[in-house]
Amino acid sequence: MSFFESLKAVAAQAVELVQNNPQVVSGIQKIIEENGGVSGIVQKFKDKGFAEAATSWVGTGENVNLNASDVMKVLGSDSVQELAKKVGLDSEATAGLIGNLLPMVIDKLSPDGKEPSGDITSQLSSLASLFTK
């Protein structure tokens, strides 16, 4: 299996998981809101040593995903465990899911490399509908 086929399989699994557990999207929404919106969460990742990854999410190029331990380092285990309980996964799997989905969400919320202005909640709700159709 090629790298791209593997990546496609992982993406399909993530979409299926989100469709079966819409709480994942609301959990990511909560994480973004609790960390000061898009600019706040991007800055938090930059401050914790992940500037290249966080910048890529807002930029127009490829998004850099994070592994589970990086997500735990930045967001803390309490935040990840709270979402893990809601979606029925362990903390490690949930952190990995966040590491893959958060870059996509931030990217979609920052078209043309610009951080969003206005009501983030409605923008996230619109974005959630893409996953839950």
Side-chain angles (χ1 to χ4, degrees), residues 3-70:
F3 171 75
F4 291 109
E5 289 171 334
S6 297
L7 186 60
K8 185 177 176 182
V10 168
Q13 289 173 339
V15 168
E16 181 180 346
L17 182 62
V18 171
Q19 288 174 337
N20 294 332
N21 293 289
Q23 313 90 311
V24 171
V25 176
S26 63
I28 289 177
Q29 176 180 342
K30 183 177 179 189
I31 288 169
I32 292 171
E33 289 171 350
E34 288 177 347
N35 286 283
V38 171
S39 60
I41 194 120
V42 167
Q43 189 60 50
K44 185 169 189 169
F45 276 87
K46 286 179 179 179
D47 292 346
K48 297 282 186 165
F50 300 98
E52 181 182 343
T55 301
S56 77
W57 306 340
V58 178
T60 57
E62 292 292 317
N63 293 325
V64 175
N65 291 342
L66 298 174
N67 63 42
S69 64
D70 295 340

Side-chain angles (χ1 to χ4, degrees), residues 89-110:
L89 298 172
D90 65 33
S91 294
E92 185 78 15
T94 302
L97 187 61
I98 294 168
N100 288 314
L101 291 177
L102 186 62
M104 276 194 309
V105 169
I106 299 296
D107 181 61
K108 297 301 180 199
L109 290 173
S110 55

